[in-house]
Amino acid sequence: MFKSKTAQPPPFGRVSIDDDDGIEVKSLRAEARSGLWSETRLLIRDLVMALLFVVLFLVLVAQPVKVEGTSMLPRLHDGERIFVNKLISYKIPRLEKYGWPTLERGDIIVFWYPNDPDKSYVKRIIGLPGETVEVRQGRLFINGQELNEPYLDPHLNASRRSDPPVTVKEHYYFVMGDNRDNSSDSRYWGLVPEKYIYGKVLFRYWPLSGMGIIRHESQYNVAPPPTDSTHQRDLNDE
């Protein structure tokens, strides 16, 4: 006559643990450990990839270098740390028109010292292949035209030394330090072979107060050396 309420089926039918075998019950502690290990593996992978990228960048593109000596004062000081662009050592003429770095007058470069390739020097490119470089009473001339060098400190360039003209051979460069009174450079030991140049100074990263990109300090207006045809024409005009 009276029915028990427990005898009535629930509104949505009877539910049993066997009704859905797709339900997986896990321990929260085990799930947390599994998630932590998964995130750790991803972090290690990202760190390894980042480290690999840095190594490749330093091997192929940029190299940290420590400045030793005062021959490049006031631009570079003893003990400073710089990055040099190594792409200039990979000669790819087809890419030069697309912005591939090339060597220009005024570039500060690092190279193997020609008389002892175990040593590394840092100097500024002054004379390009085919040009004639001459020092007259401490003044610098390229192809007979005086070179404007506003980056020099007059107190470090008081000498009135004169040197005979030097013609720069193909695939060679005439280099000098900015501290002309205290620099061992092409005036003393000759030209630098292009193959000995392994980097162009790009960025100073230490000390922090001097951090920044190192750019050209001057725009040079030097006419190219006369070609054989131009020279012959001049002779005919005479």
Side-chain angles (χ1 to χ4, degrees):
M1 181 176 176
F2 299 100
K3 294 183 178 180
S4 171
K5 292 183 179 182
T6 57
Q8 297 179 358
F12 300 103
R14 297 186 179 277
V15 179
S16 168
I17 194 170
D18 298 325
D19 291 339
D20 192 343
D21 57 4
I23 297 177
E24 183 178 2
V25 180
K26 294 184 176 180
S27 166
L28 292 180
R29 181 175 298 177
E31 183 71 12
R33 285 198 299 267
S34 175
L36 179 61
W37 172 239
S38 177
E39 292 297 325
T40 301
R41 285 187 299 172
L42 291 176
L43 178 60
I44 293 175
R45 182 201 65 184
D46 293 343
L47 289 176
V48 170
M49 294 300 296
L51 181 61
L52 179 62
F53 174 80
V54 170
V55 170
L56 290 176
F57 181 79
L58 293 178
V59 169
L60 300 176
V61 180
Q63 177 176 334
V65 173
K66 179 183 177 182
V67 177
E68 295 184 358
T70 60
S71 70
M72 285 302 296
L73 289 174
R75 196 68 181 93
L76 297 176
H77 295 75
D78 183 37
E80 290 184 337
R81 266 72 170 182
I82 55 178
F83 277 119
V84 298
N85 185 350
K86 297 180 64 177
L87 292 179
I88 55 102
S89 63
Y90 309 113
K91 300 299 292 182
I92 309 180
R94 290 177 297 177
L95 296 181
E96 290 180 359
K97 61 181 179 180
Y98 299 109
W100 191 267
T102 57
L103 294 173
E104 302 174 345
R105 189 189 331 279
D107 286 342
I108 301 176
I109 58 171
V110 290
F111 55 92
W112 306 117
Y113 176 41
N115 293 344
D116 185 358
D118 290 333
K119 297 180 180 179
S120 207
Y121 275 18
V122 55
K123 306 291 178 185
R124 187 186 298 272
I125 291 180
I126 297 297
L128 304 176
E131 295 181 337
T132 299
V133 182
E134 183 179 3
V135 179
R136 306 177 193 165
Q137 296 294 312
R139 297 158 60 193
L140 190 60
F141 292 81
I142 305 293
N143 299 333
Q145 305 172 64
E146 186 170 4
L147 196 66
N148 180 37
E149 299 182 279
Y151 44 80
L152 298 181
D153 183 347
H155 297 93
L156 302 176
N157 296 274
S159 172
R160 291 296 174 260
R161 171 193 174 103
S162 294
D163 294 293
V166 176
T167 299
V168 184
K169 299 183 292 185
E170 287 298 319
H171 304 294
Y172 283 79
Y173 292 87
F174 190 99
V175 302
M176 299 177 74
D178 289 352
N179 182 1
R180 300 281 161 83
D181 292 348
N182 295 280
S183 174
S184 173
D185 49 43
S186 291
R187 294 172 295 174
Y188 300 94
W189 40 256
L191 305 174
V192 176
E194 184 179 56
K195 63 182 180 180
Y196 279 20
I197 301 173
Y198 65 86
K200 178 164 64 174
V201 176
L202 178 67
F203 187 84
R204 174 170 34 220
Y205 66 91
W206 188 264
L208 297 179
S209 58
M211 180 183 293
I213 297 175
I214 297 179
R215 309 178 187 273
H216 281 193
E217 295 92 342
S218 178
Q219 294 294 328
Y220 303 100
N221 296 314
V222 176
T227 61
D228 292 340
S229 60
T230 303
H231 181 63
Q232 184 64 41
R233 187 173 62 251
D234 292 342
L235 292 177
N236 293 336
D237 291 343
E238 294 177 359

